[in-house]
Amino acid sequence: MRVPDAPTGRLSDAWRACVGTGRVELALRRDYQDSLALLQREIGFRYIRGHGLLSDGMGVYRPYDWQGERRVQHSFTYVDQVVDAYLALGIRPFLELGFMPTELASGERTVFWWRGNVTPPRSHQEWADLVRSTMAHLIDRYGLDEVRTWPVEVWNEPNLADFWEGADEAAYHRLYEVTAGAVKEVDASLQVGGPAISPGADEWLERFAEFAERRGVPVDFVSKHAYTSGPAQHVPFGVHQTLAPASALLDQFAAARARLKGSKLAELPLHITEFNSSYRPDNPVHDTAFHAAYLAPVLAYGGDHADSFSYWTFSDMFEEAGVPTALFHGGFGLLTHRQVKKPTYHLYAFMARMGPDLLSRADDHLVTRHPDGRVTVLAWAPVDPTGEPSGPERHRLRLSVPIASGAAFVRRSSADEEHGNARTAWQRMGSPRSPRPHQLDVLHEAAEPARHHLRLPVEEGRVDLDLTLARHEVTLVELSPVEEEAPPWADEGRLLGREAPG
Amino acid sequence: MRVPDAPTGRLSDAWRACVGTGRVELALRRDYQDSLALLQREIGFRYIRGHGLLSDGMGVYRPYDWQGERRVQHSFTYVDQVVDAYLALGIRPFLELGFMPTELASGERTVFWWRGNVTPPRSHQEWADLVRSTMAHLIDRYGLDEVRTWPVEVWNEPNLADFWEGADEAAYHRLYEVTAGAVKEVDASLQVGGPAISPGADEWLERFAEFAERRGVPVDFVSKHAYTSGPAQHVPFGVHQTLAPASALLDQFAAARARLKGSKLAELPLHITEFNSSYRPDNPVHDTAFHAAYLAPVLAYGGDHADSFSYWTFSDMFEEAGVPTALFHGGFGLLTHRQVKKPTYHLYAFMARMGPDLLSRADDHLVTRHPDGRVTVLAWAPVDPTGEPSGPERHRLRLSVPIASGAAFVRRSSADEEHGNARTAWQRMGSPRSPRPHQLDVLHEAAEPARHHLRLPVEEGRVDLDLTLARHEVTLVELSPVEEEAPPWADEGRLLGREAPG
Amino acid sequence: MRVPDAPTGRLSDAWRACVGTGRVELALRRDYQDSLALLQREIGFRYIRGHGLLSDGMGVYRPYDWQGERRVQHSFTYVDQVVDAYLALGIRPFLELGFMPTELASGERTVFWWRGNVTPPRSHQEWADLVRSTMAHLIDRYGLDEVRTWPVEVWNEPNLADFWEGADEAAYHRLYEVTAGAVKEVDASLQVGGPAISPGADEWLERFAEFAERRGVPVDFVSKHAYTSGPAQHVPFGVHQTLAPASALLDQFAAARARLKGSKLAELPLHITEFNSSYRPDNPVHDTAFHAAYLAPVLAYGGDHADSFSYWTFSDMFEEAGVPTALFHGGFGLLTHRQVKKPTYHLYAFMARMGPDLLSRADDHLVTRHPDGRVTVLAWAPVDPTGEPSGPERHRLRLSVPIASGAAFVRRSSADEEHGNARTAWQRMGSPRSPRPHQLDVLHEAAEPARHHLRLPVEEGRVDLDLTLARHEVTLVELSPVEEEAPPWADEGRLLGREAPG
Amino acid sequence: MRVPDAPTGRLSDAWRACVGTGRVELALRRDYQDSLALLQREIGFRYIRGHGLLSDGMGVYRPYDWQGERRVQHSFTYVDQVVDAYLALGIRPFLELGFMPTELASGERTVFWWRGNVTPPRSHQEWADLVRSTMAHLIDRYGLDEVRTWPVEVWNEPNLADFWEGADEAAYHRLYEVTAGAVKEVDASLQVGGPAISPGADEWLERFAEFAERRGVPVDFVSKHAYTSGPAQHVPFGVHQTLAPASALLDQFAAARARLKGSKLAELPLHITEFNSSYRPDNPVHDTAFHAAYLAPVLAYGGDHADSFSYWTFSDMFEEAGVPTALFHGGFGLLTHRQVKKPTYHLYAFMARMGPDLLSRADDHLVTRHPDGRVTVLAWAPVDPTGEPSGPERHRLRLSVPIASGAAFVRRSSADEEHGNARTAWQRMGSPRSPRPHQLDVLHEAAEPARHHLRLPVEEGRVDLDLTLARHEVTLVELSPVEEEAPPWADEGRLLGREAPG
């Protein structure tokens, strides 16, 4: 394939606009912060979104009695520690307001091992106070200019009874209205949105749009989630699930604006505030090379359909189904505990090395150029999500790449079943649930991509790139113009003292 | 007072043998680890002890079904992260086995905001399996030579119904027997002990000794706790309490061996595995200069009565009464969240700068010498625990200190109401519950001790030290021999170019 | 004095536009980089200027023979390491082109212990090649947008025979013309200037202007130096000198534009590329509290006369007079080796905490306001540079400061003879030439400013500040509005459990 | 080959007893310290030896005039910074006393670009004072217990006129006698030795022994150097040389004791205080994969002949032939500037992962066991130092390795022409003399060894290891016993949700 000389557009960075996290309280942890620091150094997300900002573990809503009267204090001891850490790591919070503080809740239903209360507030007035107080505190501490860049999403997946008692749509609309109103009272320039629905419930979007218009309720962005997995087949501490093709994710992204067509919400920013293959934190597919190759086209094309799509989640430090029982346990994370990179991490890290100018894009590759002339190719072996071996074991791709110099230095980085794949090494060492320090060293080593360097000739301004990809490989090929500085006397033949022929 | 020239003994370091911590799960947090790193750099404790090693938050006890059968997996994902962190910070765990995993518990009673289950095991067999598995795992990972240096304490304060259902002594004895047996099965050289009782229940010690002897149960050390506070007078998010004189702590330490006199346990190591003034994590007395001066004699004399006495706890990162609502909230910590030092921190840091040779000790001071000839004086203003101003505002102390040189360089560091006392500054800045970054900077600054440096003459091998201590002051005075290196031409009078008189 | 409510202008930051350094090769050292990191964290200079970029130690000019012919390679191994380090530390190079590589020099005359060759080039053609090659390399590595922000100064103090053979003005003009031409050939947007003269030679400025105009030579900025010391009275490893009043520095700054009035150079940026009291790196006055108080008005007023005035130099890591023989040796540094802060460091660090809005300025103080309402006062005790005690030992200053709240939190930081003054402590400990580690700890401690915190009442929007300054004191007083958050139940009287009266 | 089950001895660690460095003044540099930190983390040398401790750049010998009289101050400003840095990095100085301070020298002859004076002292009395003062200062600062572990070597290669004026043996004996006497005067337990001769002058050893015996001069160890290169064929900024086979190094090591047989020096510790292939810091052979394979047998067998053999030198931060002009320039370093690892670095890092028990040793491999049962194989492809391709391109090695478990996890790390070989990548990118930051990233990446992980079956307690080594490959194979923890339900076939067959 002949890659064009001139850009065909800009590469969207919707893919790194946001990333998901386990409940925000976990941001107090060291491994979490170290993991996020690594992520920001090598990938660089702009926002981070997680549950539980107002849940009991954050200690925000604190009723007390004083002189015989019930009062409430809003405490931000942990909120501030979490947000300070985020900002210090160069990432901003995408605020999700939820779940319900136990003492403000109208019921006892909880979700997750860590028991997030999913019932409406006992008092919408007190909830509004809590929201106002939280936003006002954040502005006071971080400044309005900063906080107005943080989207505020109302609740999470209210269309599921697990997350919102009875999946009560009217109750959600009421919560949204009260919450959005409280946010805007603090400052009209703050951005509020929803309805943060799970896949398969897009009809909520239309009704959300109607409701918002009917009641004149402020909406600054629309949000939904996308997953492709089927029903869970349980094993101890894990599940297996079938997956729809990755294109189903792009379809889910695109469906939102289609649904909203004609409404006032149609032109608003669309945030896919969660996406992944499986929605389960104990599905080993997340840990595989397959997973990276499966998601590659989603990262390449997702920006065509949404303003952000947020990988759920950056780390296996995540406790919705309890404390993980083994290093590799099917967690969502791009990183395991203790920061072992998974193949999908590499997909993101490779994307982060692409240039701004889009030269070419297809089912198995993406080509970009940097301002300094480097050309970067991301290629992947297309996958079959049924797990049936799909045709040949190896995928071949030939590209004619434009480059402006006499030769190109080529750096290739790859993750596949064998390389950049610590899970394979982990299995070979006996699947140690809690690896010892020297095993962790090996896993960190095994997690690094395979790397090769070569020099290729440039002919008529082009390099012929002939790539063979292994099963489930994702590969990054970076081509840099060579400026030769070797002196005329450089002579490898004389290294061991043989006289120059004279 | 004339400090003797020759040592009268060695200074015990029982004061830094161990320190307490909030539940061990908190060790996953960054601020916790940063705090502990600071502590270890400036104080250097040898062991750390906290609750909850086996509680749900650590994710250790994990039953599951497989092929129709109930099985249990023991998972050490977090245990290893915690212990790895401790060892990396140069401190060893003093293991406390408890509380009960919910799924192994015989009842539902819990203690603390974080709900530690305090009921006996549903199956003593499964409990023994859990203990064996835990100890075997630790040995596998850290080596027997290491783990046999870690004391293993069975449960916490079983004499209180809050911590052990019904304060059932027979049930505790049974738990102890099963636990100690399981520990010793793993390796006979492991050290196991108890009964970790709270103050006012020393009769448990005698019965524990009888029981152990009668049943031939292994006991390698005896443990108990010591506190001096009276009943709680509640205010929102806090309490006030009267305190007994600090000498009551020494009495409580000493009482254990007195009780055990004649039993086989009398000669065993005695560990005071918790001590403090108030046993409440929300009593502001912990934050005060008073508190440092109050505890000073306990640190100076405690080693006469016990092999360790463990300050409860090193950090305000502690959640037994919920997430703290303000930076200063009466927490036990030597450090607040975000590592602001309290006056009692300085007491410990000063103790850590004392030398090994004890020259003198009295009600208001301690004098030691280092091998290199430096003499170090710790002095404190005696306090009245009723809060009545006790005589003069200032305390005067005159010491004649032996030092072998022509002059002494004197470095004095002090904490009192005004200095080394961030709480005072915090109140002046308006008691901000969650201080902003620049306020935290000021608090860190205000938390540093007052420091003065001077040179004193030595006459006949002695320096006359005339110390005036402010209310609640604890002061460290370090005297170093001066070796004069100033050249003969040094002349401050010529700094601005006035000609030498010639 | 009543400080106005409204700003009278902006505080210039010419004082921190640039700082001097020992020869740039020293930037390879660790202590240097650690010192600069500290400086940048607490002060934040924008540029750094030092000698020797092209001297032998940097290894740039490298002639060789190949096939019987003399050739030259320009090597940037160390230049890149130095500039990389600067940029990583957030500071940019203010390039000084000099001295002459030995193998390009026309003579053998050198300056300094480290032997910088100060003779004209043997070949102006080769010198121009060297300049072009250097600038082109920098642009290639760092980008034109970056490098065009770096001023390029031609040589150093050519009016002194020590620095430029024969102080030959015509030869300097030729060098300037060749150099400026070479710079502009690389890119016309690069900024080039001179003549970098030492004090007392302002007549060079007029002739430089004439020459530049006559020859059409590009000049983008004008530079000169300023010092106030008299002749050196030598002692071993040191000198003493009289000093002119500090106002003489301001006069020297101002004189340049006065001289250039009417010429095309009059409106160009004026950079005082070196200033200090004494021009000697072994005059102990640099180490004193006197020195900070002496320079305080220069920092406060210097920006009225110049676009930058660069303190010579930030660190005692400096070898013009040889390797320093003692920790305090009269070096120029704001910091000693091993990063002990001197009083003049504090003057700069205090300045860095001033706000952008200037409220008041006088002979003994400067008052500014931050956007968040904090008011900051820098005050100093006026000094007598003859060293005669000038009137009272203490200086008193009363200010009525506007502040918008019910109370003000006041943070005062001071350096004087006794505080923030490690040299005093160092003398007391015997002036150890190479202090031991524990002595260094004490010196770092003694180098910190004295700090006090208090709360003052605000009446009619004003705080009465009554400041007493010790001899040679420089003090920073920061007033912050207090927002009171102490709860109604806070009661210090109940700390020790006395019942509330109620 | 069948590797024995039982150890045949202990692996000597003479190979890491010491490493060489460019002149010690360079230890002040950051890149140097960062490089040494990396080295100590991954290799862990015990001592470090370099020239120039007393040369002008260290500023130690400082004559001055006072009241008309010449005096000398000994200054340790830089000595202390250097030694502090070494000890902080966990390495001790192997002191080499030299070269001559200019102001104490009897002549002007210098060696190296940095001009070390190589003439005898003008006054042996003053030299002895300098030595005494230096040793006394070190003891004062670091303690006698520490300093007595630091060997003190007198001068460097006095048998060469380049290093000792006239290669005057009698003058060296005199210098030795005066120096050793001065050292022992400070403390008789300090270790002093020599004569630090270059290769080809072993007759000096016998005469040194005779002289020492005749004069009763103390000698605590004997030292010499070993190199294998022939005459230099010059190119600009470099040389090429023929090399003798590596066994010549072992012969040179062994020759010392042979020569000394019968003398009192024969039983003393023998330190090869420098060794390498070429003695030139600009011979590109040092940068190659060949070099690692060439030296592998020397590391494996060297400990049979000497108590230490010190690789000259750990870093390319080295200036004897001037500032290096390109990243790869044939420097001695295990690391280039900016810490790019060379193949010989990997040889050392691989050696550092060998166990203490020696199982097998031969011309192409070394096998050891760790106490925990891991078996480690170092293998290398034998090289032909004439550069003639010696037989097949690939070297094959079959080993039957004893291991106590059902399976072995195998981690293989390799450096050869293509892998672990940044120089190859550097050449492909155009041999950039001063690589840009993103090129340095690639070089750091390319410098890492190739890594592979697999699982091998164990049969009858043995693993069959069939290794193929590429040209110039050095490979480390680590075999760990596998303890299988994968649960019975683990089933890769179900990853994508295919139902278990039932």
Side-chain angles (χ1 to χ4, degrees), chain D residues 148-171:
Chain D
R148 72 156 61 100
T149 69
W150 306 352
V152 182
E153 192 181 37
V154 180
W155 213 255
N156 179 67
E157 302 194 349
N159 62 303
L160 297 180
D162 275 353
F163 285 102
W164 182 239
E165 202 171 45
D168 181 336
E169 196 165 1

Side-chain angles (χ1 to χ4, degrees), chain B residues 127-442:
Chain B
W127 170 260
D129 288 346
L130 172 61
V131 169
R132 260 190 305 269
S133 166
T134 300
M135 297 312 303
H137 172 80
L138 293 173
I139 289 168
D140 183 54
R141 187 177 185 89
Y142 302 105
L144 178 58
D145 285 350
E146 175 63 34
V147 178
R148 73 156 60 98
T149 69
W150 306 352
V152 182
E153 192 180 37
V154 179
W155 213 256
N156 179 67
E157 301 193 352
N159 62 302
L160 297 180
D162 275 352
F163 284 102
W164 184 239
E165 201 170 45
D168 180 336
E169 195 165 2
Y172 176 72
H173 286 173
R174 182 171 174 210
L175 182 82
Y176 183 89
E177 182 167 354
V178 168
T179 307
V183 168
K184 293 289 189 180
E185 257 180 76
V186 176
D187 193 279
S189 72
L190 296 173
Q191 316 165 48
V192 66
I197 51 168
S198 74
D202 284 356
E203 63 281 7
W204 275 55
L205 294 177
E206 287 162 284
R207 293 194 296 261
F208 182 66
E210 277 170 55
F211 144 77
E213 189 156 355
R214 187 174 69 245
R215 301 275 303 173
V217 171
V219 181
D220 298 307
F221 64 86
V222 173
S223 66
K224 64 170 286 192
H225 299 170
Y227 290 97
T228 54
S229 53
Q233 306 159 29
H234 292 277
V235 295
F237 309 110
V239 299
H240 299 300
Q241 292 166 291
T242 55
L243 298 184
S247 59
L249 283 169
L250 299 172
D251 294 343
Q252 291 181 45
F253 296 0
R257 287 203 172 117
R259 277 279 183 176
L260 290 168
K261 204 160 190 177
S263 91
K264 287 191 174 166
L265 275 50
E267 303 305 311
L268 293 180
L270 171 66
H271 296 303
I272 307 300
T273 50
E274 292 181 17
F275 89 95
N276 205 319
S277 55
S278 163
Y279 57 83
R280 295 273 321 190
D282 52 0
N283 183 335
V285 78
H286 294 126
D287 303 335
T288 63
F290 162 86
H291 202 251
Y294 174 80
L295 289 184
V298 179
L299 269 66
Y301 285 93
D304 295 354
H305 308 293
D307 295 279
S308 74
F309 46 106
S310 178
Y311 187 76
W312 188 253
T313 61
F314 83 94
S315 166
D316 280 353
M317 177 120 333
F318 189 91
E319 297 177 339
E320 295 187 356
V323 177
T325 59
L327 186 73
F328 284 97
H329 59 269
F332 292 120
L334 297 173
L335 295 167
T336 70
H337 281 90
R338 295 166 182 267
Q339 307 159 51
V340 177
K341 298 170 183 174
K342 299 186 193 171
T344 307
Y345 179 95
H346 295 306
L347 170 65
Y348 272 90
F350 292 168
M351 278 296 287
R353 275 148 68 180
M354 302 302 283
D357 292 323
L358 184 60
L359 297 185
S360 170
R361 190 163 59 156
D363 281 359
D364 58 358
H365 73 269
L366 183 65
V367 186
T368 61
R369 189 155 53 203
H370 287 267
D372 65 2
R374 281 179 297 134
V375 173
T376 306
V377 177
L378 180 73
W380 56 90
V383 302
D384 178 340
T386 66
E388 292 302 327
S390 59
E393 269 299 279
R394 305 201 159 266
H395 179 74
R396 192 164 178 204
L397 173 64
R398 300 185 63 163
L399 295 170
S400 159
V401 178
I403 199 129
S405 66
F409 178 73
V410 179
R411 174 195 194 187
R412 181 169 176 186
S413 311
S414 293
D416 60 24
E417 292 295 332
E418 186 65 28
H419 305 98
N421 195 333
R423 182 173 178 264
T424 300
W426 179 75
Q427 290 174 323
R428 286 176 181 155
M429 61 172 62
S431 305
R433 292 204 305 269
S434 183
R436 300 176 181 194
H438 79 264
Q439 290 176 317
L440 278 170
D441 288 346
V442 175

